[in-house]
Amino acid sequence: MIEVKNAYEALVNNGIDLFTGVPDSLLKNFCAYVTDTAPRNKHIIAANEGNAVGIAAGHYLATGKPALVYMQNSGLGNAVNPLLSLADEKVYSIPMVLMIGWRGEPGVHDEPQHLKQGEVTLALLDAMQIPYVILEEKAQIGVMVSLALRRKIPTALVVRKGTFGKYQLRSIYLNDYPLCREEALKLVVDHLHQDDVIVSTTGKLSRELFEYREALHQGHGHDFLTVGSMGHSSSIALGIALERPDRRVFCLDGDGAFIMHTGALGIVASMRPKNFFHILFNNGAHESVGGQPTIGFALDAKGIAKASGYQQVMTASMAKEMVTALQSLEDAEGPVLLELRVGINSRDDLGRPTTIPIENKDSFMSFLKE
């Protein structure tokens, strides 16, 4: 086990002075230490992993110093393009160090959405010809930074579960919104029609939706739980809404996912689906992976949706406001964005779906055929 303080200092002592990326549960202790320790302008929580690679490239061009780019292994998909077409030694040859949380490592129990990614993580790095080590001791950090600088290429530190010692984030990001996400979610579900469709985003929101359906004994066929592919729930919902204009389709999104692929809003609006309702649960944090802050409250979600072409945009933070807004959707034509600003206080005993993704898909498709 490596203490996060020692890992951070090893990076800094070897010339890393910028940290950027998307938080991951396996890296949450390290990311928490960076959040508490790095100067504010030297730690950038990016919109997505490709964004982080671009930031790292710009930093190197301006300073000649490599940056650390952290991500979950699922985020490699977002990073492949800039890693190969920008940073690769056959293009601009830009050094940086990737720190990759290895979810779904073969032989280690994990959720279904991580299994295939875990199987192919090392093979993917091999295919991209990115040198890597599976991080086990602090000395490996300096070796990979030196290699990145010497060859002017990206290198990677692959992090297994339990690699880093525990660290509690001191810079706790809270807000004053009275309702937690789960309470707001229940209000939304309680205002749905029997034939309405839900596509819910990656993270705790889908877990809360699953448990509420269980509590109501309603079954899960109405809901597509987007347990992976963070940021793509609105695109999935659009594909459904266009083919089933007779159904109201609700995309239940989170601020981290919403920020990750905001360009999707323009595509949604361009297709003018009257049955598309985008509910954004905004708590200003990547709560599912350690509570790191997002730019959710600095971002004008309503303004972005309106400028993208959404027909109606609303914000609510109090229960009464939320109920009024949800009632107004009865006569609204989409696409509509309703931003619900909520607190950061999910249950410690929150479970996970007891069905597997293929079962969810099959029951959902059956419901759509009704």
Side-chain angles (χ1 to χ4, degrees):
M1 184 178 293
I2 303 172
E3 295 303 321
V4 290
K5 178 178 184 291
N6 294 337
Y8 176 84
E9 289 177 350
L11 288 161
V12 171
N13 291 339
N14 280 279
I16 299 286
D17 69 344
L18 180 74
F19 299 81
T20 183
V22 177
D24 166 48
S25 57
L26 297 192
L27 306 178
K28 67 179 181 180
N29 295 311
F30 175 80
C31 290
Y33 188 84
V34 172
T35 300
D36 283 340
T37 307
R40 190 176 183 279
N41 66 335
K42 294 296 185 179
H43 180 209
I44 304 170
I45 298 176
N48 60 56
E49 295 80 4
N51 173 213
V53 171
I55 292 168
H59 175 73
Y60 174 76
L61 293 173
T63 66
K65 297 180 181 179
L68 181 90
V69 177
Y70 58 81
M71 67 182 74
Q72 186 181 109
N73 52 350
S74 61
L76 272 172
N78 285 329
V80 167
N81 179 16
L83 284 171
L84 295 182
S85 65
L86 172 69
D88 189 80
E89 61 187 334
K90 293 182 179 178
V91 192
Y92 286 106
S93 194
I94 296 177
M96 62 186 68
V97 178
L98 313 178
M99 180 178 284
I100 303 168
W102 194 2
R103 295 297 303 268
E105 177 187 355
V108 178
H109 176 73
D110 213 325
E111 301 304 312
Q113 66 270 25
H114 298 298
L115 299 183
K116 177 60 70 172
Q117 188 72 53
E119 289 177 7
V120 304
T121 294
L122 302 185
L124 183 56
L125 290 170
D126 285 332
M128 292 193 290
Q129 299 177 2
I130 294 177
Y132 65 87
V133 296
I134 298 172
L135 186 60
E136 295 177 341
E137 55 186 27
K138 184 181 71 171
Q140 293 172 300
I141 294 173
V143 172
M144 298 313 287
V145 176
S146 296
L147 179 59
L149 282 168
R150 185 173 70 254
R151 290 185 53 189
K152 292 185 171 54
I153 58 170
T155 63
L157 302 165
V158 179
V159 179
R160 288 176 161 140
K161 183 178 181 180
T163 296
F164 289 124
K166 292 188 178 299
Y167 179 84
Q168 184 64 46
L169 183 69
R170 295 196 305 270
S171 305
I172 302 298
Y173 291 86
L174 299 174
N175 62 61
D176 296 327
Y177 294 110
L179 268 67
C180 69
R181 181 186 51 247
E182 188 169 14
E183 292 168 328
L185 170 66
K186 289 177 179 179
L187 291 178
V188 173
V189 172
D190 290 346
H191 281 81
L192 296 180
H193 299 168
Q194 181 61 31
D195 59 352
D196 287 342
V197 175
I198 285 180
V199 177
S200 61
T201 191
T202 308
K204 290 184 178 179
L205 178 62
S206 283
R207 294 161 60 185
E208 290 165 344
L209 174 61
F210 187 92
E211 290 208 348
Y212 192 46
R213 292 293 199 190
E214 288 279 287
L216 296 175
H217 306 288
Q218 292 182 342
H220 305 285
H222 298 69
D223 313 323
F224 184 83
L225 309 178
T226 314
V227 293
S229 61
M230 182 175 173
H232 293 298
S233 294
S234 60
S235 298
I236 297 168
L238 174 63
I240 296 167
L242 294 175
E243 296 301 327
R244 292 305 307 263
D246 57 315
R247 301 282 190 96
R248 295 198 307 173
V249 179
F250 286 77
C251 173
L252 307 188
D253 219 343
D255 51 300
F258 179 90
I259 292 163
M260 187 167 276
H261 296 294
T262 52
L265 275 70
I267 303 303
V268 169
S270 72
M271 300 307 298
R272 300 185 180 278
K274 294 182 179 180
N275 58 331
F276 187 99
F277 300 92
H278 199 160
I279 313 297
L280 171 60
F281 294 81
N282 186 1
N283 65 4
H286 286 287
E287 186 186 357
S288 296
V289 290
Q292 310 296 329
T294 71
I295 57 169
F297 296 140
L299 198 72
D300 182 1
K302 282 176 51 181
I304 291 172
K306 189 67 175 177
S308 297
Y310 275 52
Q311 295 300 299
Q312 188 175 349
V313 295
M314 297 176 282
T315 294
S317 59
M318 307 293 288
K320 185 175 181 180
E321 296 172 339
M322 293 181 188
V323 169
T324 299
L326 290 165
Q327 289 172 341
S328 75
L329 299 184
E330 293 291 335
D331 302 315
E333 286 192 354
V336 173
L337 176 79
L338 170 57
E339 178 192 20
L340 304 180
R341 294 199 164 198
V342 296
I344 310 172
N345 48 347
S346 58
R347 289 185 286 119
D348 291 334
D349 63 348
L350 179 63
R352 294 183 181 275
T354 55
T355 58
I356 64 173
I358 290 176
E359 290 173 336
N360 176 220
K361 179 199 71 174
D362 290 343
S363 61
F364 183 74
M365 291 181 71
S366 296
F367 171 66
L368 284 178
K369 291 177 181 177
E370 294 177 3

